[in-house]
Amino acid sequence: MGSRVISSRQREILALIETEGVQYIDELARRYDLTTQTIRRDINALCDLGHARRFHGGVDVPVEGSNISLNARAQLNRRAKRQIAKRVAADIGPDATVFLGIGSTVQFVAEALRDHQGLRVITNNIHVALTLCESPGVEVHLTGGLLRHDDRDVVGTDVIKFVEKFYATHAVVGAGALSPLNGLMDFSYAEAQITNALLENAQTRVLAADVSKWTRHASVRVAPFNKITRFYTDRLPADASVAGVLAESSMQVVTCGEETI
């Protein structure tokens, strides 16, 4: 059921929820010049798939403190994620050893790496492995662990033990949320442990995350920004506190979108 294709307007509504928060039926109807009944049908479809949560007069993220489904995340900010992924892949040379972690943006990085030669990829992300399995120039190592069906990845101590057998030239990770105070945040302690293992065992530590991550709230600390070598994003929020924190960190910020605000 969760894999049902959603319309372009429904994807846009999901992106609005992700980047701007609560959306109201009347405002969405005016935005799209449609009846409230049509918008309500869109919202009902998204909620039935678990991508959003209804309340009287509007729609919000499913549950505070939990992540939305992988299928929903892959639909959000697709253009920005592809821009980020293309730039990340361009900065990874041939014959590199790359950790690719959990998350929808990392999936787009895998797509952008398909034509690389002599690449060795270590991942616990099932979608990444499937994306690269027909790329003859890419050697894929898939970790063992506990399969999470909705997220299409594996977690657990087996993942960490496997990762520790390698020292990668690059680790590419995402984040559930970004916090000026706490850095990388996630919704799952298991995911946070794995992300830390990837970062600890790599020379160049890459964070790939679009601007919407600054508006999300997750409860598990993953890593401070000083632990990251380069941060690839589409643009930066117009929040002075974010700009100040990034300026003080040792992390290089690479913006890949059309504008930075």
Side-chain angles (χ1 to χ4, degrees), residues 179-247:
S179 162
L181 179 62
N182 296 310
L184 283 67
M185 305 290 292
D186 220 320
F187 299 91
S188 163
Y189 180 67
E191 289 186 21
Q193 285 185 305
I194 291 167
T195 298
N196 262 310
L198 301 183
L199 296 175
E200 289 290 347
N201 292 280
Q203 179 181 354
T204 300
R205 301 161 176 180
V206 173
L207 168 62
D210 66 81
V211 68
S212 72
K213 300 297 183 178
W214 295 100
T215 66
R216 304 188 73 189
H217 302 282
S219 60
V220 182
R221 288 190 178 98
V222 180
F225 291 124
N226 282 335
K227 200 169 184 178
I228 303 299
T229 309
R230 287 198 292 271
F231 169 34
Y232 294 79
T233 188
D234 52 330
R235 58 190 176 92
L236 298 176
D239 185 335
S241 66
V242 170
V245 166
L246 295 181

Side-chain angles (χ1 to χ4, degrees), residues 75-224:
Q75 302 290 350
L76 296 171
N77 305 323
R78 291 174 66 89
R79 181 178 179 184
K81 291 176 181 179
R82 288 190 187 280
Q83 289 175 325
I84 293 167
K86 184 177 180 181
R87 182 62 185 275
V88 171
D91 287 346
I92 296 176
D95 303 318
T97 297
V98 184
F99 290 138
L100 292 180
I102 296 167
S104 57
T105 305
V106 177
Q107 294 177 8
F108 287 106
V109 173
E111 291 180 5
L113 288 171
R114 282 184 293 197
D115 294 329
H116 275 51
Q117 298 298 312
L119 204 66
R120 172 181 287 173
V121 169
I122 300 96
T123 187
N124 66 320
N125 188 322
I126 303 295
H127 187 93
V128 165
L130 291 174
T131 298
L132 295 172
C133 67
E134 295 184 2
S135 298
V138 182
E139 176 184 299
V140 180
H141 296 254
L142 182 62
T143 73
L146 174 66
L147 174 64
R148 300 193 304 175
H149 297 275
D150 290 341
D151 292 287
R152 298 180 191 173
D153 57 34
V154 292
V155 296
T157 57
D158 287 340
V159 178
I160 296 172
K161 290 177 182 177
F162 191 83
V163 164
E164 289 173 345
K165 298 179 186 295
F166 297 88
Y167 187 74
T169 56
H170 299 77
V172 182
V173 302
L178 297 176
S179 162
L181 179 62
N182 296 310
L184 283 67
M185 305 290 292
D186 220 320
F187 299 91
S188 163
Y189 180 67
E191 289 186 21
Q193 285 185 305
I194 291 167
T195 298
N196 262 310
L198 301 183
L199 296 175
E200 289 290 347
N201 292 280
Q203 179 181 354
T204 300
R205 301 161 176 180
V206 173
L207 168 62
D210 66 81
V211 68
S212 72
K213 300 297 183 178
W214 295 100
T215 66
R216 304 188 73 189
H217 302 282
S219 60
V220 182
R221 288 190 178 98
V222 180

